[in-house]
Amino acid sequence: MTNKADREAYFRDVERTIRDYYLADPSNPYRQSGKTGGAKHWETTRRCIAQAVNANGDYLDLGCANGLLLASLVRWCAKRGFAITPHGVDFIPELIDLARKRLPAYAANFHVANTFFWQPPRRYRFVQLLLDAVPPADQHAYIARVLNEMVATPGRLIVSVYGQGTSATPAVAVETLDGLGFKAAGAAACVSASVAWIDKDPERSTW
């Protein structure tokens, strides 16, 4: 585990980086969600995440930024025959404001908090996280806590690994989870993103 001082420094650096990039262009919703390019590039680099959804249910995005990914997943999953209800957490208040405006019918489902410390009011059928939201030494504990406290039973934790470019394959996320001591139940990939998921085992009480 990371010591408190180093963890706080890490979170300050992440917050500064996100503010400097995501909020630099108020007219660009893709940049506010961490990407360059327009709608076509966005879909090419993120739509594979929808392959992790295999049922109707609530979908929690830990680090949801401006809510663009959640809004997109609602559409993409609907085309696959699944209805998801969006929920999100982010520690940048301005981004949560944008998410609430993007999805006004679900404004109450968005929370301003650091996902590493956030205590959920309930559990969710699907939960998505990015490992770089926390220091590397905290990643195992982060996954375990999310599985124990946020993912419903049955439920699925979705772990995304971004920034792989055209070399992204399902194996990237699978091997990342394996290195942290978790076994993936499935995986997918698209340009720059590798996604793997862990199914909540009803016979297993803790992780």
Side-chain angles (χ1 to χ4, degrees), residues 113-138:
N114 182 323
T115 62
F116 185 76
F117 302 109
W118 183 61
Q119 295 298 315
R122 46 165 298 184
R123 296 173 187 264
Y124 305 84
R125 180 65 178 78
F126 300 97
V127 181
Q128 179 183 344
L129 63 79
L130 293 171
L131 288 174
D132 58 9
V134 302
D138 288 330

Side-chain angles (χ1 to χ4, degrees), residues 20 53 88 92 100 117 138 163 182:
D20 289 348
V53 174
I92 307 294
R100 287 170 175 159
F117 302 109
D138 288 330
F182 299 93

Side-chain angles (χ1 to χ4, degrees), residues 80-96:
R80 299 184 62 242
F82 301 117
I84 60 169
T85 301
H87 300 255
V89 181
D90 203 286
F91 66 171
I92 307 294
E94 296 92 331
L95 290 175
I96 288 295

Side-chain angles (χ1 to χ4, degrees), residues 136-153:
D138 288 330
Q139 290 176 355
H140 176 90
Y142 184 45
I143 290 175
R145 189 175 83 83
V146 172
L147 282 166
N148 287 330
E149 300 180 10
M150 301 186 196
V151 181
T153 304

Side-chain angles (χ1 to χ4, degrees), residues 18-110:
I18 290 175
R19 285 185 175 277
D20 289 348
Y21 185 82
Y22 285 51
L23 298 175
D25 184 357
S27 67
N28 189 337
Y30 304 102
R31 181 158 182 162
Q32 293 164 0
S33 198
K35 290 295 295 180
T36 58
K40 184 176 181 180
H41 181 66
W42 172 256
E43 184 166 350
T44 300
T45 57
R46 293 293 181 266
R47 187 163 184 166
C48 60
I49 298 171
Q51 294 181 41
V53 174
N54 63 345
N56 299 332
D58 293 285
Y59 190 110
L60 172 65
D61 186 4
L62 296 174
C64 66
N66 69 344
L68 180 61
L69 179 59
L70 281 167
S72 301
L73 285 169
V74 169
R75 298 194 307 273
W76 296 336
C77 291
K79 291 181 178 179
R80 299 184 62 242
F82 301 117
I84 60 169
T85 301
H87 300 255
V89 181
D90 203 286
F91 66 171
I92 307 294
E94 296 92 331
L95 290 175
I96 288 295
D97 287 343
L98 291 169
R100 287 170 175 159
K101 291 175 182 176
R102 183 176 304 282
L103 293 159
Y106 304 101
N109 293 355
F110 289 91

